[in-house]
Short mmCIF file of all heavy atoms in Angstrom, two decimals:
data_model
loop_
_atom_site.label_atom_id
_atom_site.label_comp_id
_atom_site.label_asym_id
_atom_site.label_seq_id
_atom_site.Cartn_x
_atom_site.Cartn_y
_atom_site.Cartn_z
N ILE A 7 0.85 -1.19 0.00
CA ILE A 7 0.00 0.00 0.00
C ILE A 7 0.89 1.24 0.00
O ILE A 7 0.72 2.14 -0.81
CB ILE A 7 -0.95 0.04 1.22
CG1 ILE A 7 -1.93 -1.15 1.19
CG2 ILE A 7 -1.75 1.35 1.22
CD1 ILE A 7 -2.80 -1.26 2.43
N ILE A 8 1.87 1.27 0.90
CA ILE A 8 2.67 2.49 1.09
C ILE A 8 3.88 2.56 0.16
O ILE A 8 4.03 3.52 -0.59
CB ILE A 8 3.11 2.61 2.56
CG1 ILE A 8 1.89 2.62 3.50
CG2 ILE A 8 3.96 3.87 2.75
CD1 ILE A 8 0.89 3.74 3.24
N TYR A 9 4.76 1.56 0.19
CA TYR A 9 6.05 1.70 -0.48
C TYR A 9 6.11 1.14 -1.91
O TYR A 9 6.45 1.86 -2.85
CB TYR A 9 7.15 1.08 0.38
CG TYR A 9 7.47 1.87 1.62
CD1 TYR A 9 7.15 1.38 2.89
CD2 TYR A 9 8.08 3.11 1.53
CE1 TYR A 9 7.43 2.12 4.03
CE2 TYR A 9 8.38 3.86 2.68
CZ TYR A 9 8.05 3.35 3.93
OH TYR A 9 8.33 4.08 5.05
N GLY A 10 5.83 -0.15 -2.08
CA GLY A 10 6.05 -0.81 -3.37
C GLY A 10 5.43 -0.11 -4.56
O GLY A 10 6.12 0.16 -5.56
N PRO A 11 4.12 0.20 -4.52
CA PRO A 11 3.51 0.86 -5.67
C PRO A 11 4.17 2.20 -6.01
O PRO A 11 4.39 2.52 -7.18
CB PRO A 11 2.05 1.05 -5.25
CG PRO A 11 1.82 0.03 -4.19
CD PRO A 11 3.13 -0.11 -3.47
N LEU A 12 4.52 2.96 -4.98
CA LEU A 12 5.13 4.27 -5.24
C LEU A 12 6.55 4.13 -5.77
O LEU A 12 6.99 4.94 -6.59
CB LEU A 12 5.08 5.15 -3.99
CG LEU A 12 3.83 6.04 -3.88
CD1 LEU A 12 2.55 5.22 -3.86
CD2 LEU A 12 3.90 6.95 -2.68
N PHE A 13 7.29 3.13 -5.32
CA PHE A 13 8.62 2.90 -5.89
C PHE A 13 8.52 2.70 -7.41
O PHE A 13 9.42 3.07 -8.15
CB PHE A 13 9.28 1.65 -5.27
CG PHE A 13 9.74 1.82 -3.84
CD1 PHE A 13 9.99 0.71 -3.05
CD2 PHE A 13 9.95 3.08 -3.29
CE1 PHE A 13 10.43 0.85 -1.74
CE2 PHE A 13 10.38 3.23 -1.97
CZ PHE A 13 10.62 2.10 -1.20
N ASN A 14 7.43 2.08 -7.85
CA ASN A 14 7.25 1.77 -9.27
C ASN A 14 6.38 2.82 -9.99
O ASN A 14 5.95 2.60 -11.11
CB ASN A 14 6.61 0.37 -9.42
CG ASN A 14 6.76 -0.20 -10.81
OD1 ASN A 14 7.85 -0.20 -11.37
ND2 ASN A 14 5.68 -0.69 -11.39
N ARG A 15 6.14 3.93 -9.32
CA ARG A 15 5.28 5.00 -9.85
C ARG A 15 3.90 4.48 -10.24
O ARG A 15 3.36 4.82 -11.27
CB ARG A 15 5.95 5.76 -11.01
CG ARG A 15 5.22 7.09 -11.31
CD ARG A 15 5.97 7.98 -12.26
NE ARG A 15 6.34 7.37 -13.51
CZ ARG A 15 5.50 7.12 -14.53
NH1 ARG A 15 4.22 7.41 -14.42
NH2 ARG A 15 5.96 6.59 -15.64
N ASN A 16 3.33 3.69 -9.37
CA ASN A 16 1.94 3.28 -9.52
C ASN A 16 1.06 4.11 -8.59
O ASN A 16 1.54 4.65 -7.60
CB ASN A 16 1.76 1.79 -9.20
CG ASN A 16 2.48 0.90 -10.18
OD1 ASN A 16 3.38 0.15 -9.81
ND2 ASN A 16 2.10 0.97 -11.45
N THR A 17 -0.21 4.19 -8.91
CA THR A 17 -1.19 4.79 -8.01
C THR A 17 -1.66 3.71 -7.04
O THR A 17 -2.03 2.62 -7.46
CB THR A 17 -2.40 5.33 -8.81
OG1 THR A 17 -1.93 6.35 -9.70
CG2 THR A 17 -3.46 5.90 -7.89
N SER A 18 -1.62 4.01 -5.75
CA SER A 18 -1.99 3.03 -4.72
C SER A 18 -3.27 3.47 -4.02
O SER A 18 -3.49 4.65 -3.80
CB SER A 18 -0.86 2.90 -3.70
OG SER A 18 -1.20 1.98 -2.69
N ILE A 19 -4.11 2.49 -3.69
CA ILE A 19 -5.38 2.80 -3.02
C ILE A 19 -5.28 2.56 -1.52
O ILE A 19 -4.83 1.50 -1.08
CB ILE A 19 -6.53 1.96 -3.62
CG1 ILE A 19 -6.77 2.41 -5.07
CG2 ILE A 19 -7.81 2.10 -2.80
CD1 ILE A 19 -7.85 1.65 -5.79
N ILE A 20 -5.65 3.58 -0.75
CA ILE A 20 -5.78 3.46 0.71
C ILE A 20 -7.28 3.34 0.98
O ILE A 20 -8.03 4.32 0.83
CB ILE A 20 -5.19 4.70 1.42
CG1 ILE A 20 -3.68 4.82 1.14
CG2 ILE A 20 -5.45 4.63 2.93
CD1 ILE A 20 -3.06 6.10 1.66
N TYR A 21 -7.69 2.15 1.36
CA TYR A 21 -9.13 1.86 1.48
C TYR A 21 -9.51 1.70 2.95
O TYR A 21 -8.98 0.83 3.65
CB TYR A 21 -9.45 0.58 0.70
CG TYR A 21 -10.90 0.15 0.79
CD1 TYR A 21 -11.90 0.86 0.14
CD2 TYR A 21 -11.26 -0.98 1.53
CE1 TYR A 21 -13.23 0.46 0.22
CE2 TYR A 21 -12.58 -1.39 1.62
CZ TYR A 21 -13.56 -0.66 0.97
OH TYR A 21 -14.87 -1.06 1.06
N GLU A 22 -10.42 2.53 3.41
CA GLU A 22 -10.91 2.45 4.79
C GLU A 22 -12.31 1.85 4.77
O GLU A 22 -13.32 2.55 4.71
CB GLU A 22 -10.93 3.84 5.43
CG GLU A 22 -11.26 3.81 6.91
CD GLU A 22 -11.29 5.19 7.55
OE1 GLU A 22 -11.57 6.17 6.83
OE2 GLU A 22 -11.05 5.28 8.76
N GLY A 23 -12.35 0.53 4.82
CA GLY A 23 -13.63 -0.16 4.76
C GLY A 23 -13.42 -1.66 4.87
O GLY A 23 -12.31 -2.13 5.12
N LYS A 24 -14.48 -2.40 4.69
CA LYS A 24 -14.44 -3.86 4.78
C LYS A 24 -14.83 -4.47 3.43
O LYS A 24 -15.44 -3.79 2.59
CB LYS A 24 -15.43 -4.34 5.86
CG LYS A 24 -15.15 -3.80 7.26
CD LYS A 24 -13.88 -4.36 7.84
CE LYS A 24 -13.65 -3.84 9.27
NZ LYS A 24 -12.34 -4.26 9.79
N PRO A 25 -14.55 -5.76 3.22
CA PRO A 25 -14.96 -6.40 1.96
C PRO A 25 -16.48 -6.49 1.82
O PRO A 25 -17.00 -6.59 0.72
CB PRO A 25 -14.34 -7.80 2.06
CG PRO A 25 -13.33 -7.74 3.14
CD PRO A 25 -13.79 -6.67 4.09
N ILE A 26 -17.17 -6.46 2.95
CA ILE A 26 -18.64 -6.51 2.96
C ILE A 26 -19.16 -5.43 3.91
O ILE A 26 -18.39 -4.85 4.67
CB ILE A 26 -19.16 -7.90 3.40
CG1 ILE A 26 -18.58 -8.28 4.77
CG2 ILE A 26 -18.79 -8.97 2.38
CD1 ILE A 26 -19.10 -9.57 5.35
N MET A 27 -20.43 -5.11 3.83
CA MET A 27 -21.11 -4.19 4.75
C MET A 27 -20.69 -2.73 4.62
O MET A 27 -21.05 -1.90 5.44
CB MET A 27 -20.95 -4.63 6.22
CG MET A 27 -21.60 -5.98 6.51
SD MET A 27 -21.64 -6.36 8.27
CE MET A 27 -19.90 -6.50 8.65
N THR A 28 -19.87 -2.39 3.62
CA THR A 28 -19.53 -0.97 3.44
C THR A 28 -19.79 -0.53 1.99
O THR A 28 -18.86 -0.13 1.31
CB THR A 28 -18.06 -0.69 3.85
OG1 THR A 28 -17.18 -1.59 3.18
CG2 THR A 28 -17.84 -0.82 5.31
N PRO A 29 -21.01 -0.55 1.49
CA PRO A 29 -22.24 -0.92 2.21
C PRO A 29 -22.64 -2.38 2.02
O PRO A 29 -23.48 -2.90 2.74
CB PRO A 29 -23.27 -0.01 1.57
CG PRO A 29 -22.81 0.10 0.15
CD PRO A 29 -21.31 0.10 0.20
N ASP A 30 -22.03 -3.07 1.04
CA ASP A 30 -22.44 -4.45 0.76
C ASP A 30 -21.28 -5.18 0.11
O ASP A 30 -20.17 -4.65 -0.01
CB ASP A 30 -23.68 -4.47 -0.16
CG ASP A 30 -23.47 -3.64 -1.43
OD1 ASP A 30 -22.41 -3.80 -2.07
OD2 ASP A 30 -24.35 -2.83 -1.77
N ALA A 31 -21.54 -6.43 -0.31
CA ALA A 31 -20.48 -7.26 -0.88
C ALA A 31 -20.04 -6.82 -2.27
O ALA A 31 -19.09 -7.36 -2.83
CB ALA A 31 -20.93 -8.72 -0.91
N GLY A 32 -20.70 -5.80 -2.82
CA GLY A 32 -20.30 -5.28 -4.13
C GLY A 32 -19.26 -4.18 -4.05
O GLY A 32 -18.80 -3.69 -5.08
N THR A 33 -18.85 -3.81 -2.82
CA THR A 33 -17.94 -2.67 -2.67
C THR A 33 -16.59 -2.89 -3.35
O THR A 33 -16.01 -1.97 -3.91
CB THR A 33 -17.75 -2.31 -1.17
OG1 THR A 33 -17.08 -1.07 -1.08
CG2 THR A 33 -16.96 -3.38 -0.43
N THR A 34 -16.11 -4.14 -3.32
CA THR A 34 -14.82 -4.44 -3.96
C THR A 34 -14.87 -4.13 -5.45
O THR A 34 -13.96 -3.50 -6.00
CB THR A 34 -14.45 -5.92 -3.74
OG1 THR A 34 -14.26 -6.13 -2.33
CG2 THR A 34 -13.17 -6.30 -4.47
N TRP A 35 -15.95 -4.55 -6.10
CA TRP A 35 -16.05 -4.35 -7.55
C TRP A 35 -16.29 -2.88 -7.87
O TRP A 35 -15.84 -2.37 -8.90
CB TRP A 35 -17.17 -5.23 -8.12
CG TRP A 35 -17.20 -6.58 -7.44
CD1 TRP A 35 -18.24 -7.13 -6.77
CD2 TRP A 35 -16.11 -7.52 -7.33
NE1 TRP A 35 -17.88 -8.35 -6.24
CE2 TRP A 35 -16.58 -8.62 -6.57
CE3 TRP A 35 -14.80 -7.53 -7.78
CZ2 TRP A 35 -15.78 -9.72 -6.26
CZ3 TRP A 35 -14.00 -8.63 -7.47
CH2 TRP A 35 -14.50 -9.69 -6.72
N ARG A 36 -16.98 -2.18 -6.95
CA ARG A 36 -17.16 -0.73 -7.12
C ARG A 36 -15.81 -0.01 -7.13
O ARG A 36 -15.53 0.84 -7.98
CB ARG A 36 -18.05 -0.20 -5.99
CG ARG A 36 -18.54 1.24 -6.17
CD ARG A 36 -17.60 2.29 -5.58
NE ARG A 36 -17.35 2.12 -4.17
CZ ARG A 36 -16.39 2.75 -3.52
NH1 ARG A 36 -15.56 3.58 -4.15
NH2 ARG A 36 -16.19 2.54 -2.23
N VAL A 37 -14.94 -0.36 -6.18
CA VAL A 37 -13.61 0.27 -6.09
C VAL A 37 -12.80 -0.03 -7.34
O VAL A 37 -12.17 0.87 -7.92
CB VAL A 37 -12.87 -0.20 -4.82
CG1 VAL A 37 -11.42 0.29 -4.82
CG2 VAL A 37 -13.58 0.28 -3.56
N ILE A 38 -12.81 -1.29 -7.77
CA ILE A 38 -12.04 -1.70 -8.95
C ILE A 38 -12.51 -0.92 -10.18
O ILE A 38 -11.69 -0.39 -10.95
CB ILE A 38 -12.17 -3.21 -9.18
CG1 ILE A 38 -11.40 -3.97 -8.09
CG2 ILE A 38 -11.66 -3.61 -10.57
CD1 ILE A 38 -11.66 -5.46 -8.07
N GLU A 39 -13.82 -0.83 -10.35
CA GLU A 39 -14.37 -0.16 -11.53
C GLU A 39 -14.16 1.36 -11.46
O GLU A 39 -13.72 1.98 -12.43
CB GLU A 39 -15.86 -0.47 -11.68
CG GLU A 39 -16.48 0.14 -12.93
CD GLU A 39 -17.91 -0.31 -13.14
OE1 GLU A 39 -18.56 -0.74 -12.17
OE2 GLU A 39 -18.38 -0.21 -14.28
N GLN A 40 -14.47 1.94 -10.31
CA GLN A 40 -14.42 3.40 -10.19
C GLN A 40 -13.00 3.94 -10.35
O GLN A 40 -12.80 5.00 -10.95
CB GLN A 40 -15.00 3.82 -8.84
CG GLN A 40 -15.09 5.33 -8.66
CD GLN A 40 -15.87 5.71 -7.41
OE1 GLN A 40 -16.48 4.86 -6.75
NE2 GLN A 40 -15.87 6.98 -7.08
N HIS A 41 -12.02 3.22 -9.80
CA HIS A 41 -10.65 3.73 -9.80
C HIS A 41 -9.76 3.07 -10.85
O HIS A 41 -8.55 3.27 -10.86
CB HIS A 41 -10.04 3.56 -8.41
CG HIS A 41 -10.82 4.25 -7.33
ND1 HIS A 41 -11.22 5.56 -7.42
CD2 HIS A 41 -11.31 3.77 -6.14
CE1 HIS A 41 -11.91 5.89 -6.33
NE2 HIS A 41 -11.98 4.83 -5.54
N LYS A 42 -10.37 2.27 -11.73
CA LYS A 42 -9.64 1.65 -12.85
C LYS A 42 -8.44 0.84 -12.35
O LYS A 42 -7.30 1.00 -12.80
CB LYS A 42 -9.16 2.72 -13.83
CG LYS A 42 -10.25 3.68 -14.33
CD LYS A 42 -11.20 2.99 -15.31
CE LYS A 42 -12.13 3.98 -16.00
NZ LYS A 42 -13.16 4.54 -15.10
N VAL A 43 -8.70 -0.04 -11.40
CA VAL A 43 -7.64 -0.86 -10.80
C VAL A 43 -7.14 -1.88 -11.82
O VAL A 43 -7.92 -2.63 -12.39
CB VAL A 43 -8.15 -1.57 -9.52
CG1 VAL A 43 -7.11 -2.53 -8.98
CG2 VAL A 43 -8.54 -0.54 -8.47
N SER A 44 -5.83 -1.91 -12.04
CA SER A 44 -5.23 -2.88 -12.97
C SER A 44 -4.95 -4.22 -12.28
O SER A 44 -5.15 -5.28 -12.86
CB SER A 44 -3.91 -2.34 -13.53
OG SER A 44 -4.14 -1.21 -14.35
N VAL A 45 -4.45 -4.13 -11.05
CA VAL A 45 -4.09 -5.34 -10.31
C VAL A 45 -4.54 -5.18 -8.86
O VAL A 45 -4.37 -4.11 -8.28
CB VAL A 45 -2.56 -5.58 -10.34
CG1 VAL A 45 -2.18 -6.81 -9.52
CG2 VAL A 45 -2.06 -5.75 -11.78
N MET A 46 -5.10 -6.26 -8.31
CA MET A 46 -5.54 -6.24 -6.91
C MET A 46 -4.85 -7.35 -6.14
O MET A 46 -4.64 -8.45 -6.65
CB MET A 46 -7.05 -6.44 -6.84
CG MET A 46 -7.61 -6.42 -5.43
SD MET A 46 -9.29 -7.06 -5.39
CE MET A 46 -9.73 -6.73 -3.70
N PHE A 47 -4.49 -7.04 -4.90
CA PHE A 47 -3.87 -8.02 -4.00
C PHE A 47 -4.82 -8.14 -2.81
O PHE A 47 -5.17 -7.15 -2.18
CB PHE A 47 -2.52 -7.45 -3.55
CG PHE A 47 -1.72 -8.26 -2.57
CD1 PHE A 47 -0.37 -8.50 -2.80
CD2 PHE A 47 -2.27 -8.77 -1.41
CE1 PHE A 47 0.40 -9.22 -1.90
CE2 PHE A 47 -1.51 -9.49 -0.50
CZ PHE A 47 -0.16 -9.72 -0.76
N THR A 48 -5.29 -9.35 -2.52
CA THR A 48 -6.16 -9.53 -1.36
C THR A 48 -5.95 -10.91 -0.76
O THR A 48 -5.15 -11.69 -1.25
CB THR A 48 -7.64 -9.29 -1.73
OG1 THR A 48 -8.41 -9.22 -0.53
CG2 THR A 48 -8.19 -10.38 -2.64
N ALA A 49 -6.67 -11.18 0.30
CA ALA A 49 -6.55 -12.47 0.99
C ALA A 49 -7.74 -13.37 0.63
O ALA A 49 -8.83 -12.88 0.38
CB ALA A 49 -6.54 -12.24 2.50
N PRO A 50 -7.52 -14.68 0.61
CA PRO A 50 -8.64 -15.60 0.36
C PRO A 50 -9.81 -15.39 1.31
O PRO A 50 -10.97 -15.55 0.92
CB PRO A 50 -8.01 -16.99 0.58
CG PRO A 50 -6.55 -16.79 0.33
CD PRO A 50 -6.24 -15.40 0.79
N THR A 51 -9.51 -14.98 2.55
CA THR A 51 -10.57 -14.74 3.54
C THR A 51 -11.56 -13.69 3.04
O THR A 51 -12.77 -13.82 3.23
CB THR A 51 -9.96 -14.24 4.87
OG1 THR A 51 -8.79 -15.01 5.14
CG2 THR A 51 -10.93 -14.36 6.01
N ALA A 52 -11.03 -12.64 2.40
CA ALA A 52 -11.90 -11.57 1.89
C ALA A 52 -12.81 -12.09 0.78
O ALA A 52 -14.01 -11.81 0.75
CB ALA A 52 -11.05 -10.41 1.39
N ILE A 53 -12.22 -12.87 -0.12
CA ILE A 53 -13.01 -13.43 -1.23
C ILE A 53 -14.10 -14.36 -0.69
O ILE A 53 -15.24 -14.35 -1.17
CB ILE A 53 -12.09 -14.18 -2.22
CG1 ILE A 53 -11.04 -13.21 -2.81
CG2 ILE A 53 -12.89 -14.83 -3.33
CD1 ILE A 53 -11.59 -12.06 -3.60
#
């Protein structure tokens, strides 16, 4: 989040929320679509 993306001159997302309930389970796809995310890193637990 902090170092790696910026070392490579990528835009990094600081997300203050949960995979669900903020407001629903569609929030992940909303973030990806709205901010044109090329690559996402997450945990199996979130999926």
Side-chain angles (χ1 to χ4, degrees):
I7 297 174
I8 302 302
Y9 288 111
L12 269 60
F13 288 161
N14 197 49
R15 195 169 54 75
N16 295 118
T17 298
S18 179
I19 293 179
I20 297 173
Y21 178 72
E22 187 181 27
K24 300 291 182 187
I26 55 176
M27 296 189 295
T28 52
D30 53 47
T33 191
T34 296
W35 321 122
R36 191 271 302 167
V37 172
I38 290 170
E39 183 174 21
Q40 184 171 351
H41 302 310
K42 307 288 190 289
V43 174
S44 294
V45 178
M46 181 194 187
F47 178 132
T48 191
T51 318
I53 300 298

